Amino acid sequence: MDTSLLHVVYLMPLLPLAGFLILAAFGRKIGSPWAGWLGTATVTGSFAIAIVVMVGLFSRQPDARSFTQVLFTWVPVGAFHTRVSLLVDPLSMTMALFVCGVSALIHLYSIGYMAEDSDYAKFFVYLNLFVASMLILVLAGNLLLTFVGWEGVGLCSYFLIAFWYDRDSAASAGKKAFIVNRIGDFGFLVAMFLVFTTLGTLNFHSIFAHAHQLSGSTATAITLLLFLAATGKSAQFPLFTWLPDAMEGPTPVSALIHAATMVTAGVYLMVRVAPLLHIVPNVGLVIAVVGVVTAFVAASIACAQDDIKKVIAYSTVSQIGYMMLAVGVGAYVAAIFLMVAHAFYKSTLFLAAGSVIHSLHDEQDIKRMGGLRRYLPWTYGAFLIAWLSIAGVPPFSAFWAKGDILDHAFGYNHALWALGALTAILTAYYIGREFFLVFHGKERWRELGVLHGGGEPHESPWVMRLPVVVLAALAAVAGLLNLPFHPDLPFLSRWLAPVVAPFARPLTIGVSTEWVLAITDSVLALIGVGIAFKAWIATDERPVLEPEFLRKGWFIDESYDLVIARSGTEIAGLAATEVERKGIDGAVSAVATLVKDTGSGLRRLQTGYLRNYAIGIVVGLVGMLAWMLSRVGS
């Protein structure tokens, strides 16, 4: 059993962190494109290290696939000792492997996409720090270090979403993401305080070993608070409104945040604390309901969006909802299975959309596109594969991954399955709608003069095209990770078993029911594909399918603006004028005025005339004699 391969795990976050420091110091001097190649090389190096560590871990027996690398003691305060330690186990390495792999491809794509940007080097500074933070998050051996990575990706998301800060929409989107995520972070912090107060540790192994000591109410509070954190980070209802706006950043940012890193962090956290969820099973129902409701609401909104990236952004919210549904029903392997597949097909969709935008000089309205199939054949093929994958058309990846979740949901609660199945139809439909409006039909971009300088759309350079093709291929075959036909085929289930199997809820349906559900999943996907084809292959206007209610996102953002933002602004204004200015400042001013008036009154006694002082002395003496005589008489 060779452990030497595991001891290089620290290099995984260290390489992109070193890239961040080098680019922050010398990025402008290095310039384009070498700054991009340096950033890409560091993340590719992390991917190589992840493969090495994975080989070392795989060489161990299943019950020995856990290794903690302690780097140094971080916070020694009294009884509180926290170390910077990295936890290597099947769950953390599954996350690290696809995070590094997909992030490396997105870095490569960015070399071409950001080539003309004036802040080219700064973009890779943020990308490298983002990946380093995400790796710290997934490899951390305790809650406090996890929180460091958690906050790191939150900070970098602000930098990247608001990268083009000279646009008001981008600046506002960055602030929105930062503020909404702070709501979730409150839950994370309070959960940590509760864990340390009750168990005296923040180390994952120690927490899980002593979880039985938690009272029911404390365990419920901790898990719900952690779910609040996950709701913010993974954009679940009601805190999902920041994610669609996050597409204001450059397209590689959308792919990085929406597919492989930040938004999956909440799902990862919930799977990591599966031992805590196991002792409070009622919390699972809350998670499942929030997940499936989020999946449905976001999918319905995506059906009526016209921005090519916003459709995919709402799709991300919906797909993460499926993952939370899986966590809620105890199907932890299914959640990770869909997470991996989602990283591939969602990255493909975003990067393909970026190629479309690039070819149309930054146009993002799908109603102003059309007929791009013959101009962008590679992008067209990749988008088609990603669509069929996310739709769940067999044998593409989501047929297996999403189907696994729906099977567990059916065994847990039929109502959850029904809403998830309806969402599956919507998923196949809204990506199909986007596909046909972008690549088929009339060349509306030509009629509307989208390309002001003339010319025609064209494929992106190879540094952008290669990542899209690789990710599309991975999206097509990702289902091979966990095929159900034979006990030796579900690799992912066997790989993750040491971490989650003791806490997972077993599948309670029979083989015949599984076959029926698999056929049903296929039919649902084809129904969605068929509706999209029938409705959008030859037109770009279907008002009846795009009601204002859906175009405005169920008016959720408007409601928040009215109830929270506007009322909060009014309360703040009232506090500033009435409470602070008239109340607090008025009280301080009143004290100052009293002292001033008192001083002015006493100053009149100081006339400077000797006769006045003599009269005062005489009057005082007379007064004293009168008082003394009155005392003698008594």
Side-chain angles (χ1 to χ4, degrees), residues 146-161:
T146 301
F147 187 70
V148 171
W150 190 272
E151 289 301 287
V153 294
L155 177 64
C156 292
S157 70
Y158 168 72
F159 290 149
L160 289 167
I161 294 169

Side-chain angles (χ1 to χ4, degrees), residues 565-578:
R566 293 181 185 274
S567 59
T569 302
E570 291 180 4
I571 292 172
L574 181 66
T577 55
E578 301 297 326

